[in-house]
PDB file of all heavy atoms in Angstrom:
ATOM      1  N   CYS A  29       7.818  -2.194  -2.040  1.00 90.00           N
ATOM      2  CA  CYS A  29       7.236  -2.014  -0.706  1.00 90.00           C
ATOM      3  C   CYS A  29       7.993  -1.080   0.221  1.00 90.00           C
ATOM      4  O   CYS A  29       7.384  -0.430   1.189  1.00 90.00           O
ATOM      5  CB  CYS A  29       7.037  -3.346  -0.027  1.00 90.00           C
ATOM      6  SG  CYS A  29       8.717  -4.151   0.512  1.00 90.00           S
ATOM      7  N   ARG A  30       9.219  -0.804  -0.151  1.00 91.00           N
ATOM      8  CA  ARG A  30      10.022   0.100   0.680  1.00 91.00           C
ATOM      9  C   ARG A  30       9.502   1.535   0.596  1.00 91.00           C
ATOM     10  O   ARG A  30       9.738   2.331   1.509  1.00 91.00           O
ATOM     11  CB  ARG A  30      11.432   0.041   0.317  1.00 91.00           C
ATOM     12  CG  ARG A  30      11.765   0.664  -1.077  1.00 91.00           C
ATOM     13  CD  ARG A  30      13.208   0.438  -1.505  1.00 91.00           C
ATOM     14  NE  ARG A  30      13.587   1.157  -2.663  1.00 91.00           N
ATOM     15  CZ  ARG A  30      13.575   0.746  -3.936  1.00 91.00           C
ATOM     16  NH1 ARG A  30      13.164  -0.476  -4.026  1.00 91.00           N
ATOM     17  NH2 ARG A  30      13.984   1.356  -4.952  1.00 91.00           N
ATOM     18  N   PHE A  31       8.762   1.850  -0.566  1.00 90.00           N
ATOM     19  CA  PHE A  31       8.106   3.228  -0.573  1.00 90.00           C
ATOM     20  C   PHE A  31       6.930   3.373   0.289  1.00 90.00           C
ATOM     21  O   PHE A  31       6.610   4.516   0.552  1.00 90.00           O
ATOM     22  CB  PHE A  31       7.893   3.425  -2.136  1.00 90.00           C
ATOM     23  CG  PHE A  31       9.105   3.552  -2.949  1.00 90.00           C
ATOM     24  CD1 PHE A  31       9.451   2.634  -3.783  1.00 90.00           C
ATOM     25  CD2 PHE A  31       9.861   4.710  -2.922  1.00 90.00           C
ATOM     26  CE1 PHE A  31      10.508   2.669  -4.552  1.00 90.00           C
ATOM     27  CE2 PHE A  31      11.069   4.880  -3.596  1.00 90.00           C
ATOM     28  CZ  PHE A  31      11.501   3.736  -4.506  1.00 90.00           C
ATOM     29  N   ALA A  32       6.360   2.427   0.762  1.00 91.00           N
ATOM     30  CA  ALA A  32       5.334   2.612   1.763  1.00 91.00           C
ATOM     31  C   ALA A  32       5.832   3.151   3.085  1.00 91.00           C
ATOM     32  O   ALA A  32       5.165   3.860   3.640  1.00 91.00           O
ATOM     33  CB  ALA A  32       4.631   1.273   2.003  1.00 91.00           C
ATOM     34  N   ARG A  33       7.142   2.954   3.260  1.00 93.00           N
ATOM     35  CA  ARG A  33       7.831   3.531   4.456  1.00 93.00           C
ATOM     36  C   ARG A  33       7.814   5.140   4.376  1.00 93.00           C
ATOM     37  O   ARG A  33       7.589   5.804   5.315  1.00 93.00           O
ATOM     38  CB  ARG A  33       9.232   3.063   4.617  1.00 93.00           C
ATOM     39  CG  ARG A  33       9.757   3.625   5.843  1.00 93.00           C
ATOM     40  CD  ARG A  33      11.191   2.966   6.047  1.00 93.00           C
ATOM     41  NE  ARG A  33      11.662   3.295   7.435  1.00 93.00           N
ATOM     42  CZ  ARG A  33      12.686   2.561   7.886  1.00 93.00           C
ATOM     43  NH1 ARG A  33      13.277   1.699   7.319  1.00 93.00           N
ATOM     44  NH2 ARG A  33      13.038   2.976   9.248  1.00 93.00           N
ATOM     45  N   LEU A  34       8.047   5.541   3.203  1.00 93.00           N
ATOM     46  CA  LEU A  34       7.996   7.055   2.930  1.00 93.00           C
ATOM     47  C   LEU A  34       6.581   7.648   3.243  1.00 93.00           C
ATOM     48  O   LEU A  34       6.478   8.769   3.752  1.00 93.00           O
ATOM     49  CB  LEU A  34       8.380   7.442   1.592  1.00 93.00           C
ATOM     50  CG  LEU A  34       9.838   6.982   1.163  1.00 93.00           C
ATOM     51  CD1 LEU A  34      10.225   7.347  -0.259  1.00 93.00           C
ATOM     52  CD2 LEU A  34      10.865   7.656   2.138  1.00 93.00           C
ATOM     53  N   ALA A  35       5.453   6.876   2.777  1.00 95.00           N
ATOM     54  CA  ALA A  35       4.102   7.293   3.012  1.00 95.00           C
ATOM     55  C   ALA A  35       3.835   7.350   4.521  1.00 95.00           C
ATOM     56  O   ALA A  35       3.349   8.285   5.055  1.00 95.00           O
ATOM     57  CB  ALA A  35       3.237   6.408   2.310  1.00 95.00           C
ATOM     58  N   GLN A  36       4.377   6.291   5.232  1.00 95.00           N
ATOM     59  CA  GLN A  36       4.092   6.143   6.642  1.00 95.00           C
ATOM     60  C   GLN A  36       4.890   7.330   7.375  1.00 95.00           C
ATOM     61  O   GLN A  36       4.354   7.978   8.280  1.00 95.00           O
ATOM     62  CB  GLN A  36       4.651   4.938   7.257  1.00 95.00           C
ATOM     63  CG  GLN A  36       4.292   4.573   8.635  1.00 95.00           C
ATOM     64  CD  GLN A  36       5.477   4.826   9.610  1.00 95.00           C
ATOM     65  OE1 GLN A  36       6.638   5.046   9.054  1.00 95.00           O
ATOM     66  NE2 GLN A  36       5.118   5.063  10.849  1.00 95.00           N
ATOM     67  N   GLU A  37       6.126   7.601   6.920  1.00 95.00           N
ATOM     68  CA  GLU A  37       6.783   8.745   7.458  1.00 95.00           C
ATOM     69  C   GLU A  37       6.186   9.994   7.246  1.00 95.00           C
ATOM     70  O   GLU A  37       6.409  11.144   8.045  1.00 95.00           O
ATOM     71  CB  GLU A  37       8.323   8.714   7.062  1.00 95.00           C
ATOM     72  CG  GLU A  37       9.173   7.585   7.557  1.00 95.00           C
ATOM     73  CD  GLU A  37      10.551   7.366   6.914  1.00 95.00           C
ATOM     74  OE1 GLU A  37      10.819   8.088   6.000  1.00 95.00           O
ATOM     75  OE2 GLU A  37      11.251   6.566   7.439  1.00 95.00           O
ATOM     76  N   ALA A  38       5.324  10.145   6.210  1.00 96.00           N
ATOM     77  CA  ALA A  38       4.778  11.421   5.871  1.00 96.00           C
ATOM     78  C   ALA A  38       3.483  11.544   6.714  1.00 96.00           C
ATOM     79  O   ALA A  38       2.662  12.482   6.526  1.00 96.00           O
ATOM     80  CB  ALA A  38       4.443  11.470   4.410  1.00 96.00           C
ATOM     81  N   GLY A  39       3.170  10.461   7.571  1.00 97.00           N
ATOM     82  CA  GLY A  39       1.948  10.530   8.430  1.00 97.00           C
ATOM     83  C   GLY A  39       0.843   9.712   8.017  1.00 97.00           C
ATOM     84  O   GLY A  39      -0.207   9.779   8.696  1.00 97.00           O
ATOM     85  N   ALA A  40       0.970   8.952   6.970  1.00 97.00           N
ATOM     86  CA  ALA A  40      -0.094   8.084   6.629  1.00 97.00           C
ATOM     87  C   ALA A  40      -0.205   6.727   7.283  1.00 97.00           C
ATOM     88  O   ALA A  40       0.766   6.198   7.721  1.00 97.00           O
ATOM     89  CB  ALA A  40      -0.069   7.784   5.031  1.00 97.00           C
ATOM     90  N   ARG A  41      -1.377   6.274   7.512  1.00 97.00           N
ATOM     91  CA  ARG A  41      -1.629   4.889   7.843  1.00 97.00           C
ATOM     92  C   ARG A  41      -1.714   4.069   6.523  1.00 97.00           C
ATOM     93  O   ARG A  41      -2.348   4.447   5.546  1.00 97.00           O
ATOM     94  CB  ARG A  41      -2.912   4.691   8.570  1.00 97.00           C
ATOM     95  CG  ARG A  41      -2.987   5.458   9.905  1.00 97.00           C
ATOM     96  CD  ARG A  41      -4.330   5.384  10.477  1.00 97.00           C
ATOM     97  NE  ARG A  41      -5.123   4.262  10.280  1.00 97.00           N
ATOM     98  CZ  ARG A  41      -6.486   4.171   9.942  1.00 97.00           C
ATOM     99  NH1 ARG A  41      -7.127   5.341   9.747  1.00 97.00           N
ATOM    100  NH2 ARG A  41      -7.000   3.032   9.829  1.00 97.00           N
ATOM    101  N   VAL A  42      -0.965   3.178   6.327  1.00 97.00           N
ATOM    102  CA  VAL A  42      -0.755   2.404   5.132  1.00 97.00           C
ATOM    103  C   VAL A  42      -1.266   1.052   5.215  1.00 97.00           C
ATOM    104  O   VAL A  42      -0.971   0.129   5.976  1.00 97.00           O
ATOM    105  CB  VAL A  42       0.766   2.237   4.666  1.00 97.00           C
ATOM    106  CG1 VAL A  42       0.893   1.589   3.329  1.00 97.00           C
ATOM    107  CG2 VAL A  42       1.270   3.798   4.533  1.00 97.00           C
ATOM    108  N   THR A  43      -2.196   0.723   4.186  1.00 96.00           N
ATOM    109  CA  THR A  43      -2.650  -0.639   4.009  1.00 96.00           C
ATOM    110  C   THR A  43      -2.128  -1.191   2.713  1.00 96.00           C
ATOM    111  O   THR A  43      -2.230  -0.401   1.692  1.00 96.00           O
ATOM    112  CB  THR A  43      -4.153  -0.776   4.059  1.00 96.00           C
ATOM    113  OG1 THR A  43      -4.643  -0.493   5.335  1.00 96.00           O
ATOM    114  CG2 THR A  43      -4.612  -2.177   3.618  1.00 96.00           C
ATOM    115  N   TRP A  44      -1.418  -2.241   2.733  1.00 93.00           N
ATOM    116  CA  TRP A  44      -0.679  -2.794   1.465  1.00 93.00           C
ATOM    117  C   TRP A  44      -1.431  -4.005   0.968  1.00 93.00           C
ATOM    118  O   TRP A  44      -1.608  -4.915   1.726  1.00 93.00           O
ATOM    119  CB  TRP A  44       0.733  -3.118   1.959  1.00 93.00           C
ATOM    120  CG  TRP A  44       1.621  -3.424   0.755  1.00 93.00           C
ATOM    121  CD1 TRP A  44       1.902  -4.666   0.188  1.00 93.00           C
ATOM    122  CD2 TRP A  44       2.352  -2.603  -0.102  1.00 93.00           C
ATOM    123  NE1 TRP A  44       2.771  -4.522  -0.802  1.00 93.00           N
ATOM    124  CE2 TRP A  44       3.072  -3.182  -1.042  1.00 93.00           C
ATOM    125  CE3 TRP A  44       2.589  -1.136   0.015  1.00 93.00           C
ATOM    126  CZ2 TRP A  44       4.022  -2.677  -1.918  1.00 93.00           C
ATOM    127  CZ3 TRP A  44       3.426  -0.598  -0.943  1.00 93.00           C
ATOM    128  CH2 TRP A  44       4.008  -1.315  -1.839  1.00 93.00           C
ATOM    129  N   MET A  45      -1.877  -3.935  -0.293  1.00 93.00           N
ATOM    130  CA  MET A  45      -2.569  -5.095  -0.946  1.00 93.00           C
ATOM    131  C   MET A  45      -1.507  -5.909  -1.546  1.00 93.00           C
ATOM    132  O   MET A  45      -0.675  -5.330  -2.462  1.00 93.00           O
ATOM    133  CB  MET A  45      -3.629  -4.588  -1.919  1.00 93.00           C
ATOM    134  CG  MET A  45      -4.475  -5.686  -2.419  1.00 93.00           C
ATOM    135  SD  MET A  45      -5.661  -5.311  -3.720  1.00 93.00           S
ATOM    136  CE  MET A  45      -6.704  -4.159  -2.651  1.00 93.00           C
ATOM    137  N   VAL A  46      -1.410  -7.235  -1.285  1.00 91.00           N
ATOM    138  CA  VAL A  46      -0.355  -8.000  -1.857  1.00 91.00           C
ATOM    139  C   VAL A  46      -0.989  -9.271  -2.420  1.00 91.00           C
ATOM    140  O   VAL A  46      -1.987  -9.778  -1.905  1.00 91.00           O
ATOM    141  CB  VAL A  46       0.695  -8.380  -0.850  1.00 91.00           C
ATOM    142  CG1 VAL A  46       1.430  -7.137  -0.305  1.00 91.00           C
ATOM    143  CG2 VAL A  46       0.221  -9.112   0.323  1.00 91.00           C
TER     144      VAL A  46
END
Side-chain angles (χ1 to χ4, degrees):
C29 72
R30 70 183 190 268
F31 291 105
R33 184 176 192 164
L34 298 176
Q36 187 264 342
E37 290 173 352
R41 295 171 39 225
V42 179
T43 295
W44 189 266
M45 185 184 294
V46 300

